[in-house]
């Protein structure tokens, strides 16, 4: 929601410091408003340097100046504020963007999304390993107590008592032995649970922001079926539900089923033709897509990620036996499909051109010789 076009305030605030996000003060183009409101890009706050997007930003109504819930789907329509005593209807600005700049943004958004996808995958793998090490909650509590005795934690993990400077291991061990105040223990545990709940809500909001960013980037790039691997499992399950597909499957299986259904529907649309049967997805195969639409560095991907890329382009592979090298080879073979024939044809055409050039040179030499004899 635009508060003032003269001041450059566009009604979005930083979720951390609540400072206005101002394109002019940040040295950004006006079209940056389009990209952040569509959920395509995230930008930095000029006050605290937090990177945020439209899902985590604070949106203000241009009339009552109160916050309202925003969704990227609202960008192309008018909405009502929804706050008490404010039933005003308003829309959102759309600034002009050149075709060249839009293409650059697509490439930038895809690169950022690939980086976020790899980071999310790394965090999931680290979390799974940590869960195996920690085990049950009892083991975690035991570890916290040991860290407190070793003076690696300042507060008692049971009641929150502070281990002051100058105290030793014996003091910490003695406190744990006599820590039986149930009222204080319950109060401290409740405080810890509240803090964990806030952290989890922030983490959920950030994950939702990243999921929407990935989905909007996919839409912005033309809904390419070959880029389904960039979407999160939650988004893929939502897309599968639209086509009445099973959702209780691994990610690469979801992508395979969804890609197969979309390709079949798009081929039917192309066959039927007409204004009422327009295609909604890009089903270009891997050997015909532009290089910028492929993953930037497939060699750095792990096996699970390569399986998702192969499934996106409809390649056949065995998820139980194919390792990283096998998947890379299959992707490379599919990418170079048909280029061998083109190279042979190019080589033959070059040979023909060489023969023509040789014949023309011989004719030229003959003409020069004949002219020399005539002059004599």
């Amino acid at each position: 929601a635009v508060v003032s076009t003269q001041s450059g305030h566009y009604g979005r605030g930083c979720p951390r410091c609540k400072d206005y996000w101002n394109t002019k003060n940040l040295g950004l183009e006006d079209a940056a408003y389009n990209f952040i409101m569509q959920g395509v890009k995230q930008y930095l706050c000029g006050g605290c340097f937090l990177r945020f997007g439209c899902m985590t930003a604070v949106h203000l109504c241009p009339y009552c100046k109160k916050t309202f819930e925003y969704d990227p789907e609202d960008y192309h329509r008018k909405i009502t504020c929804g706050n008490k005593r404010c039933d005003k209807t308003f829309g959102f600005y759309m600034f002009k963007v050149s075709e060249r700049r839009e293409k650059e943004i697509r490439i930038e958004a895809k690169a950022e999304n690939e980086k976020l996808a790899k980071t999310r995958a790394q965090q999931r793998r680290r979390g799974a390993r940590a869960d195996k090490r920690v085990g049950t909650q009892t083991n975690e509590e035991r570890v916290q107590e040991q860290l407190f005795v070793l003076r690696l934690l300042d507060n008692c993990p049971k009641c929150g008592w502070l281990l002051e400077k100058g105290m030793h291991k014996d003091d910490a061990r003695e406190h744990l032995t006599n820590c039986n105040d149930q009222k204080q223990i319950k109060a401290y545990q409740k405080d810890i649970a509240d803090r964990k709940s806030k952290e989890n809500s922030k983490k959920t909001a950030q994950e939702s922001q990243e999921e929407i960013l990935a989905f909007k980037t996919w839409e912005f790039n033309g809904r390419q079926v070959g880029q389904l691997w960039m979407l999160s499992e939650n988004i893929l399950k939502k897309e599968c539900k639209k086509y009445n597909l099973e959702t209780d499957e691994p990610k690469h299986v979801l992508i395979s089923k969804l890609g197969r259904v979309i390709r079949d529907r798009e081929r039917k649309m192309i066959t039927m033709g007409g204004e009422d049967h327009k295609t909604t997805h890009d089903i270009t195969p891997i050997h015909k897509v532009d290089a910028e639409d492929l993953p930037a560095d497939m060699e750095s991907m792990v096996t699970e990620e390569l399986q998702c890329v192969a499934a996106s382009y409809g390649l056949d592979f065995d998820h139980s036996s194919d390792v990283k090298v096998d998947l890379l080879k299959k992707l490379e073979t599919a990418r170079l499909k048909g280029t061998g024939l083109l190279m042979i044809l190019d080589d033959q055409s070059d040979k023909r051109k060489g023969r023509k050039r040789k014949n023309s040179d011989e004719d030229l030499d003959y003409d020069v010789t004949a002219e020399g004899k005539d002059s004599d």
Side-chain angles (χ1 to χ4, degrees), residues 199-326:
E199 290 177 0
N200 290 334
S201 62
K202 289 182 180 178
K203 185 179 179 181
T204 303
Q206 183 62 31
E207 289 177 352
S208 176
Q209 169 67 59
E210 292 176 357
E211 288 179 357
I212 293 297
L213 178 67
F215 181 70
K216 290 301 176 181
T217 302
W218 179 66
E219 284 190 332
F220 196 63
N221 283 335
R223 292 174 170 264
Q224 297 184 36
V225 179
Q227 291 183 352
L228 285 173
W229 63 271
M230 300 172 67
L231 305 180
S232 65
E233 286 191 39
N234 292 332
I235 297 295
L236 286 171
K237 288 179 180 179
K238 290 180 181 178
E239 292 296 307
C240 286
K241 287 180 180 178
K242 295 179 181 178
Y243 299 99
N244 298 322
L245 299 175
E246 291 291 334
T247 58
D248 190 17
E249 301 283 357
K251 184 176 179 179
H252 68 274
V253 178
L254 294 175
I255 293 174
S256 297
K257 290 183 176 180
L258 183 60
R260 192 180 305 115
V261 171
I262 292 175
R263 288 187 182 92
D264 292 340
R265 290 171 62 93
E266 292 300 308
R267 291 190 185 102
K268 290 179 181 178
M269 291 291 184
I270 294 172
T271 304
M272 296 172 71
E275 291 293 329
D276 297 334
H277 302 92
K278 290 184 178 180
T279 58
T280 57
H281 295 76
D282 186 353
I283 58 173
T284 306
I286 188 172
H287 64 281
K288 291 184 179 180
V289 297
D290 297 331
E292 62 203 29
D293 293 328
L294 294 170
D297 188 10
M298 285 194 284
E299 285 75 11
S300 65
M301 290 182 166
V302 297
T303 305
E304 291 77 10
E305 293 172 329
L306 289 172
Q307 287 178 349
C308 294
V309 175
S312 299
Y313 285 105
L315 305 184
D316 294 328
F317 63 92
D318 189 346
H319 72 278
S320 59
S321 61
D322 284 346
V323 295
K324 180 176 179 178
V325 177
D326 300 327

Side-chain angles (χ1 to χ4, degrees), residues 14-267:
C14 172
R16 179 191 289 169
C17 67
K18 303 299 185 290
D19 191 13
Y20 273 112
W21 186 78
N22 189 326
T23 55
K24 291 181 173 59
N25 291 347
L26 294 173
L28 298 171
E29 57 188 331
D30 289 335
Y33 175 79
N34 300 9
F35 306 134
I36 190 173
M37 293 298 282
Q38 291 181 87
V40 175
K41 281 182 68 69
Q42 298 183 78
Y43 290 95
L44 291 174
C45 169
C48 64
F49 299 105
L50 174 70
R51 182 178 289 275
F52 64 93
C54 66
M55 295 296 292
T56 53
V58 179
H59 298 270
L60 303 179
C61 172
Y63 297 100
C64 67
K65 306 299 187 291
K66 292 183 179 180
T67 61
F68 66 93
E69 294 294 329
Y70 175 78
D71 188 271
E73 298 296 332
D74 298 333
Y75 182 60
H76 295 290
R77 58 193 178 201
K78 291 186 176 182
I79 64 172
T80 304
C81 175
N83 290 303
K84 291 182 179 180
R85 301 177 184 176
C86 182
D87 56 354
K88 300 290 186 180
T89 302
F90 54 89
F92 306 93
Y93 272 81
M94 175 178 281
F95 295 92
K96 287 186 178 181
V97 187
S98 65
E99 185 177 350
R100 180 181 61 82
R101 181 56 182 157
E102 191 170 321
K103 184 178 180 180
E104 292 174 352
I105 289 295
R106 285 198 185 99
I107 297 174
E108 291 176 12
K110 176 179 171 292
E112 292 177 3
N113 194 29
E114 282 188 29
K115 188 176 180 181
L116 284 174
K118 290 182 180 179
T119 303
R120 287 197 302 268
Q122 291 171 357
Q123 290 174 349
R124 284 196 298 270
R125 291 195 295 270
R126 284 197 296 267
R129 290 195 296 268
D131 291 340
K132 291 180 181 178
R133 289 195 300 268
V134 174
T136 63
Q137 184 68 19
T138 306
N139 292 336
E140 186 178 356
E141 291 174 356
R142 190 181 298 116
V143 170
Q144 295 295 318
E145 291 179 4
Q146 290 176 354
L147 293 174
F148 177 67
V149 171
L150 294 172
R151 299 175 60 195
L152 296 175
L153 289 178
D154 295 332
N155 296 93
C156 171
K158 296 173 68 176
C159 68
W161 178 74
L162 179 63
L163 185 66
E164 298 179 356
K165 290 183 179 180
M167 291 185 174
H168 303 286
K169 295 180 181 179
D170 295 336
D171 299 320
R173 192 176 289 108
E174 181 181 358
H175 171 79
L176 282 176
T177 304
N178 301 321
C179 185
N180 299 317
D181 189 347
Q182 295 299 323
K183 185 177 180 181
Q184 190 174 0
I185 290 174
K186 287 182 179 179
Y188 182 67
Q189 295 301 324
K190 183 178 182 299
D191 182 53
I192 290 178
D194 292 340
R195 279 185 286 175
K196 284 186 177 179
S197 177
K198 290 181 180 179
E199 290 177 0
N200 290 334
S201 62
K202 289 182 180 178
K203 185 179 179 181
T204 303
Q206 183 62 31
E207 289 177 352
S208 176
Q209 169 67 59
E210 292 176 357
E211 288 179 357
I212 293 297
L213 178 67
F215 181 70
K216 290 301 176 181
T217 302
W218 179 66
E219 284 190 332
F220 196 63
N221 283 335
R223 292 174 170 264
Q224 297 184 36
V225 179
Q227 291 183 352
L228 285 173
W229 63 271
M230 300 172 67
L231 305 180
S232 65
E233 286 191 39
N234 292 332
I235 297 295
L236 286 171
K237 288 179 180 179
K238 290 180 181 178
E239 292 296 307
C240 286
K241 287 180 180 178
K242 295 179 181 178
Y243 299 99
N244 298 322
L245 299 175
E246 291 291 334
T247 58
D248 190 17
E249 301 283 357
K251 184 176 179 179
H252 68 274
V253 178
L254 294 175
I255 293 174
S256 297
K257 290 183 176 180
L258 183 60
R260 192 180 305 115
V261 171
I262 292 175
R263 288 187 182 92
D264 292 340
R265 290 171 62 93
E266 292 300 308
R267 291 190 185 102

Side-chain angles (χ1 to χ4, degrees), residues 350-364:
D350 291 340
K351 288 180 179 179
R352 293 194 198 98
K353 291 179 181 178
R355 285 196 296 270
K356 289 180 180 179
R357 191 180 300 109
K358 184 177 179 181
N359 293 335
S360 62
D361 292 341
E362 290 176 354
D363 294 340
L364 181 62

